[in-house]
Amino acid sequence: MPDGPGHYPSAAATGRSKPSRIALVDVNSFYVSCERVFDPSLAGVPVVVLSNNDGCVVARSNEAKALGIPLGEPWFKISAQAPRWGLIQRSSNYELYGDLSSRAMELMGRFAAWQEVYSIDESFLGLAGSPQSLQDQGGGIRAAMALHTGLPVCVGIAPTKTLAKFANRVAKQNPAMGGVCNLDTMPGAQIDHIMSRVPVTGVWGVASRLGKRLNAIGVFTIADLRAANPLLMRRKFSVLLQRTILELRGVPCIELETERTDKKQMIFSRSFSTPVTTLAGMHQVMSLYAQAAAMRLSRAKQLAHSMTVFAGTSPFHRTASSFPSVTVRLPAPTADPVVLTRAAVGALERHLEEGVPYARAGVMLTDLSPAGFQPQLDVFVSVHERRNIGALLGEVTEKYGAGSIGLGRAGLCAPADWTMSRRYSSPRYTTEWDELAIVKAN
Ligand SMILES: [Mg+2]
């Protein structure tokens, strides 16, 4: 990873004028691409990543998609054919993915005045410039990502988040575009044409259930949705759908840090209004963020098994440059705010420095599973969970606002991972000394 400016177009160059366009930078087939960074033999061959206990397919390379392997396919159903197809399987390695994610996010953030980390492999960036300059910036981000992280990304650039998501999809599906789609440079008729061919569920925030309800009233494609009456749709469906329609027409109305539901991780990340320079302050931040993430997790009835915590200075700060991040495997899947807070504070505290002006921080929970799905071993149920402190914390916070109740600092237990079968796992190349990649020189 680069540790100073000068390796690529400086963020300051893009941050001088007020951002007027939004870029969505998204890693292509993220889990598979992480595996490929350290194992080049996986390039160009069909690869699938399996869920916990090697149960079912959670990620596919394009080649695996071309074989017709659906997401969620149980591994036992395809394992027999795998050798014939040349299909390679990997157990999910959330330590590797979490660590590469925070590196990728930090690098993306250097290109923009503002950044919103949206999921494990995508962030929104605020960009400014002429259509040609935006196109060049998109290309610059792609090149830097390839050079410094080894991860392939696509960049969608547009006036709104919903359109940036759409542009990213267009870039992904049209390799001839070179990985960057800037809607400003596309003729309107071409955009209309694509929108009239993509099903409405291809729009950010329109899940399959909503899609079915829209189909029932004759809205089948993105173009149909864009043409619908926003007020009518608000009355029939929700204010969220009204905003989506306006965004498709180029009117920005989905604010930063808005929760949307099409994510496989839970992220709570914010830029601070003023830098936090003390360790005590950062502990407080991490503890609040972990609790906020825990609350989102339990609202979604999910448990997390892996956590990445990160902090960073402003990319525009002249002297201070520090972007610590740590990924930890939790002892067992949990949504317990006590356990998550302890993990977040404990994991990051050794990497923070007194006096450094931190400008942002975040907590990302990955390896999610539905709560109550797997039998919890009693030994792993925290005493707090038994006493239902989690629910109490949530209640008090809801009533009196965030920050009204919190948990103190505590150490982090060493993770135990003996319950999980990860037979096809790649090494934790970036987070374990014993598993670093070995380079042979001839
Ligand atoms: Mg992706």
Side-chain angles (χ1 to χ4, degrees):
M1 286 295 293
D3 49 14
H7 294 79
Y8 34 78
S10 89
T14 61
R16 221 172 284 136
S17 40
K18 205 173 174 299
S20 60
R21 286 294 178 267
I22 294 171
L24 179 76
V25 187
D26 184 6
V27 181
N28 306 344
S29 314
F30 179 63
Y31 295 172
V32 171
S33 295
C34 289
E35 298 288 345
R36 283 174 170 166
V37 167
F38 289 95
D39 186 351
S41 75
L42 299 178
V45 302
V47 180
V48 291
V49 174
L50 304 174
S51 64
N52 284 331
N53 290 319
D54 300 331
C56 53
V57 173
V58 292
R60 303 158 298 166
S61 69
N62 282 338
E63 298 81 4
K65 285 177 197 164
L67 285 171
I69 299 169
L71 214 52
E73 182 81 336
W75 172 240
F76 73 84
K77 281 195 181 171
I78 49 174
S79 53
Q81 291 107 298
R84 193 157 48 83
W85 289 335
L87 177 69
I88 308 285
Q89 74 279 18
R90 285 279 184 272
S91 306
S92 38
N93 184 347
Y94 286 99
E95 279 122 307
L96 180 67
Y97 311 152
D99 191 57
L100 290 189
S101 165
S102 50
R103 294 176 189 216
M105 293 306 153
E106 191 257 297
L107 186 56
M108 288 177 197
R110 294 194 187 192
F111 285 85
W114 68 255
Q115 173 187 31
E116 181 188 334
V117 175
Y118 174 65
S119 77
I120 194 167
D121 69 331
E122 48 188 332
S123 66
F124 291 106
L125 303 177
L127 302 181
S130 65
Q132 187 54 51
S133 148
L134 288 166
Q135 189 77 26
D136 295 344
Q137 290 174 52
I141 293 170
R142 250 175 77 81
M145 290 295 294
L147 180 64
H148 297 295
T149 69
L151 296 169
V153 300
C154 280
V155 185
I157 303 168
T160 68
K161 284 182 161 183
T162 306
L163 285 173
K165 273 272 200 184
F166 169 75
N168 192 287
R169 181 193 170 103
V170 174
K172 277 223 176 79
Q173 294 179 344
N174 298 278
M177 299 183 92
V180 181
C181 172
N182 177 6
L183 285 194
D184 287 336
T185 62
M186 263 170 107
Q190 195 185 352
I191 298 175
D192 296 347
H193 177 71
I194 300 172
M195 284 190 170
S196 68
R197 295 175 49 152
V198 181
V200 69
T201 46
V203 176
W204 184 41
V206 178
S208 63
R209 233 175 67 198
L210 177 56
K212 275 191 196 123
R213 290 175 63 202
L214 287 168
N215 290 168
I217 59 161
V219 175
F220 294 99
T221 66
I222 299 186
D224 293 342
L225 183 64
R226 191 183 52 173
N229 180 325
L231 278 174
L232 212 68
M233 297 301 266
R234 176 188 183 145
R235 236 174 292 147
K236 250 187 148 75
F237 295 92
S238 68
V239 67
L240 291 177
L241 193 62
Q242 180 194 26
R243 287 191 192 137
T244 300
I245 295 169
L246 293 174
E247 287 238 327
L248 284 173
R249 296 176 182 185
V251 183
C253 48
I254 293 178
E255 285 177 27
L256 299 190
E257 326 277 11
T258 304
E259 256 184 274
R260 293 236 141 181
T261 48
D262 55 342
K263 293 189 280 188
K264 289 184 208 115
Q265 327 78 38
M266 208 58 71
I267 293 181
F268 195 91
S269 168
R270 294 280 187 278
S271 301
F272 312 144
S273 48
T274 49
V276 176
T277 54
T278 63
L279 283 180
M282 283 306 284
H283 286 160
Q284 200 178 8
V285 166
M286 294 321 296
S287 145
L288 286 172
Y289 284 17
Q291 284 162 63
M295 222 181 300
R296 283 187 180 181
L297 199 61
S298 58
R299 225 181 298 144
K301 298 191 172 51
Q302 300 264 298
L303 303 175
H305 203 160
S306 190
M307 173 191 254
T308 299
V309 285
F310 52 92
T313 49
S314 160
F316 304 111
H317 202 282
R318 285 176 186 199
T319 48
S321 170
S322 173
F323 300 92
S325 91
V326 183
T327 299
V328 289
R329 185 100 183 138
L330 299 161
T334 184
D336 184 345
V338 178
V339 173
L340 293 172
T341 302
R342 216 184 260 177
V345 174
L348 205 56
E349 72 178 344
R350 274 170 297 134
H351 302 268
L352 296 171
E353 277 172 76
E354 187 76 33
V356 170
Y358 293 103
R360 67 175 298 133
V363 171
M364 177 169 73
L365 301 170
T366 56
D367 198 355
L368 304 187
S369 54
F373 184 67
Q374 67 271 73
Q376 279 240 8
L377 293 179
D378 204 40
V379 62
F380 280 147
V381 177
S382 91
V383 287
H384 313 290
E385 224 154 19
R386 228 177 261 137
R387 290 188 203 135
N388 222 359
I389 281 186
L392 180 68
L393 278 176
E395 244 170 68
V396 173
T397 311
E398 222 134 81
K399 218 167 180 180
Y400 299 103
S404 54
I405 189 168
L407 306 161
R409 298 168 50 189
L412 175 66
C413 301
D417 205 17
W418 48 267
T419 54
M420 203 61 68
S421 145
R422 294 162 83 196
R423 258 195 299 164
Y424 316 109
S425 184
S426 48
R428 293 165 292 182
Y429 293 109
T430 57
T431 53
E432 288 295 317
W433 285 112
D434 294 342
E435 299 176 23
L436 295 181
I438 295 169
V439 179
K440 293 193 181 93
N442 289 319

